[in-house]
Structure formats: structure tokens, C-alpha cells
Amino acid sequence: MTIDEEKQQLRATIRRLSAQLPFRYREAADRAIARHLLALPEYRSAGAVFCFVSAGREIDTRPILDQTLADGKMLCVPLCVADGIMELRAIRNLEELFPGAYGILEPPADSPALSPDQIDLAVIPCVTCSREGRRLGRGGGYYDRFLAHYRGAAVLLCRERLLRQEIPFGVHDYPIPWVLTEAGLFEDGTPSRLE
């Protein structure tokens, strides 16, 4: 089996598991993840935050997006501009977002673009990941292309019940050293104390 086939198989498995997660668990886990993220020193010191806009069964990022704006930080969200390519666009209000590619809320095409080196903290989604930060995305390559050019702090969000030890990993995949779950922060696979 190729790495791509392994990834597709794991995505299907995680989609089934995710669909079976009780609503109360998802809600409690998402609240805890947001609380942990907003307590990170890297978040508190960040001037500009890049964060995905959640869709479907993804971790609810609305509390993170709302608080980032309330804290007066520059908030950037993805705008899909071509297959596998996204741009970082600044928004001032969540009301600016509208359904774009794949039905995911996106900023308007005329919103200000930022480069990866202008971002202090990137909040990255996944279908699943390991505690060591090996992530499995949806397969479009959007975030791997972003991570290839990004050198700032990055944190991967995943619910505990969707973590996996073994993640198929290819040459174009980028590990993320910080993984945040409802249980807390893991740095290179080791539990890290949240302040």
C-alpha cells in the first residue's frame, strides 16, 4: 500500500470515528482546546495570528477567532485561491466571512494579504495527528505548502480521541512540534506545562 493509500484509509477511519463522537464530548473538548490555546504565552505575545475557520466536525475555532479580534491582534484566515494554494488574509470582523471553496467560510478577495513571515502564531487543523506533531490533513496540500515557507510558532489542534500513534508521512509533509488537545499541550510528543 502506498503512503497516499494509507492516508486515504486513515482519513476514512477518522471520519467514521469523528462522526461517532458524542456532541457533549466535542463541545467540552473544543472549549478546553480554545482555553488552552488562549493561555499560551506565544498567543499572548503574538501581534498577528493565523487561524483556520472551522467547518463541519472540525474543532470549533470561533472562540479563538473572536478572542483574537477582541484582544486587538491582527487576525488572518485562509483564502483558497487555487488548487492546493491559500493566501493569508487579514479580517477585522467575522461577519466579513462568506462561504467559499468547499463551503468553508473565507474572507473577501479584496481583504489585505499577509506573508507567512508577518505571522507570529499559526493555528493549524488536521484530520488526525500524533502527539509528536505528524499531521494528516484533508489531502489538498494547502497547509503543507504554507508550512514549507513558515518559520514562526505553530500549534496543531486535535481532540484526544482522534489522536493516533502512527501517521503515514511523506516527503512533502511537515511535522508541527506543538500539539494541543483538551488534555493540554504536547511538545515533540512530551506533555508540556501550560501557564
Side-chain angles (χ1 to χ4, degrees):
M1 189 181 301
T2 68
I3 286 182
D4 283 344
E5 289 169 338
E6 286 180 51
K7 287 181 176 184
Q8 289 295 48
Q9 195 172 54
L10 183 55
R11 281 186 192 102
T13 300
I14 297 298
R15 270 196 298 273
R16 282 193 304 274
L17 280 172
S18 183
Q20 295 168 3
L21 291 176
F23 175 76
R24 283 190 177 171
Y25 164 74
R26 289 197 325 263
E27 200 176 46
D30 293 5
R31 273 197 314 269
I33 289 167
R35 190 173 61 249
H36 291 325
L37 183 115
L38 297 170
L40 288 174
E42 290 74 15
Y43 168 79
R44 290 196 304 260
S45 66
V49 174
F50 171 61
C51 184
F52 68 99
V53 179
S54 53
R57 290 193 181 95
E58 287 182 325
I59 290 165
D60 181 11
T61 57
R62 185 171 272 279
I64 297 165
L65 301 172
D66 282 335
Q67 192 60 51
T68 301
L69 290 169
D71 288 342
K73 299 178 187 294
M74 170 80 69
L75 174 62
C76 295
V77 297
L79 174 66
C80 296
V81 293
D83 247 10
I85 299 171
M86 65 180 180
E87 292 181 353
L88 286 57
R89 297 299 185 97
I91 59 167
R92 290 196 172 106
N93 189 314
L94 296 186
E95 304 310 311
E96 295 175 34
L97 303 175
F98 65 96
Y102 312 106
I104 297 170
L105 292 176
E106 291 187 334
D110 63 351
S111 55
L114 274 80
S115 66
D117 61 357
Q118 292 176 279
I119 303 299
D120 301 309
L121 177 65
V123 182
I124 309 294
C126 66
V127 171
T128 182
C129 69
S130 68
R131 282 193 168 83
E132 292 74 33
R134 289 183 172 227
R135 72 180 282 275
L136 178 68
R138 290 183 177 205
Y142 291 91
Y143 283 90
D144 287 316
R145 283 181 186 86
F146 163 72
L147 290 166
H149 302 286
Y150 178 68
R151 299 292 168 256
V155 63
L156 189 54
L157 304 187
C158 189
R159 296 182 187 108
E160 278 284 321
R161 294 185 189 178
L162 298 180
L163 286 173
R164 289 293 170 272
Q165 271 189 285
E166 298 296 322
I167 303 290
F169 211 68
V171 293
H172 298 293
D173 296 327
Y174 288 87
I176 296 173
W178 292 345
V179 174
L180 193 61
T181 75
E182 67 269 26
L185 181 69
F186 295 87
E187 190 168 353
D188 293 320
T190 305
S192 184
R193 186 172 56 85
L194 287 170
E195 296 176 16

